[in-house]
Amino acid sequence: MSDGGAPALRGDEIEISGVIEWTMEMLDAADLRPAPLPGVEMTFTLARVPSPEVNRAMYAAVGARVCWTDRFGWSHADWQAWVDRTELSTWIAMAEGTIAGFFEIEAQPGGDTEIHLVGLTHAFVGRGYGGYLVEQCTRRAWQRGTLWARDAGPATRVWLRTSSLDHPNAMANYHRRGFTVAEQNVVDKPVPDPRLAPWPLPHDPRTLAGDRAGDAAAPGGAAARRPKEELIT
């Protein structure tokens, strides 16, 4: 899931060239395709008490390894203003008695509903939970106006942004759930060191992300080899 917040304000930056950014969308709830059930029960709880501390902690825990850094410069007041809105909902995913992930959904004007963030904590990555997490996130996005943001009216479009900095399986996951590509761009993006927030990581995720982006953008790379039609079907 692509991070979409304020520009990064601290940390040692490196510029990752050839980052591919995609806007994905789903225009009908009937287009949502279920994911296989995970091996154990996974539950989802709406955070009914806005908490900047919780969202900040989940942002770091889920996003550090996939270069979520755009909110590094946010103050406590910025986080408070972000979460303390009726149009934003935060959901916590639990599995095996542990926080397994989270997602943020925003009810926007005209029926647009944006999935700002969705992801698993590191202990649950690669264990068959990701598809189900995205499915359940998208289901709840389509339930705006009833399950959450009750005064916002129904959703007419669910959309998100992702990029080649995200987990390598992210795009395939979104396609399998029924999302299609509405827009694609290639940019050079400065990324501060995610290891600074909030604890040291065993390696610099920007290095691997940069390698993936370069491979995808290079002539003959993954993006070049992928037919354009595959991106929109």
Side-chain angles (χ1 to χ4, degrees), residues 18 103 114 142 160 220:
F103 46 87
E114 182 176 0
W142 282 111
L160 58 86

Side-chain angles (χ1 to χ4, degrees), residues 24-114:
M24 313 286 292
E25 67 180 9
M26 187 181 295
L27 301 180
D28 193 313
D31 293 335
L32 176 59
R33 295 195 289 267
L37 293 173
V40 299
E41 183 181 15
M42 197 173 193
T43 62
F44 302 86
T45 302
L46 173 62
R48 299 187 182 278
V49 179
S51 171
E53 293 83 4
V54 168
N55 284 62
R56 171 64 178 86
M58 294 306 303
Y59 181 85
V62 171
R65 294 174 185 262
V66 287
C67 296
W68 291 2
T69 58
D70 289 349
R71 298 186 189 179
F72 272 19
W74 283 20
S75 67
H76 187 276
D78 292 330
W79 280 101
Q80 185 73 61
W82 176 254
V83 302
D84 197 14
R85 299 179 294 137
T86 57
E87 62 268 29
L88 184 81
S89 69
T90 300
W91 298 77
I92 306 298
M94 299 286 295
E96 301 182 67
T98 306
I99 296 177
F102 88 123
F103 46 87
E104 290 180 356
I105 319 172
E106 183 182 28
Q108 298 172 336
D112 274 6
T113 306
E114 182 176 0

Side-chain angles (χ1 to χ4, degrees), residues 2 6-7 11 23-24 34 38 41 60 72-73 92 98 142 148 154 159-160 175 178 182 201 205 210-211 214 218 230:
S2 180
T23 298
M24 313 286 292
E41 183 181 15
F72 272 19
I92 306 298
T98 306
W142 282 111
W148 59 281
W159 69 286
L160 58 86
H175 279 301
L201 294 177
D211 291 344
E230 185 179 338

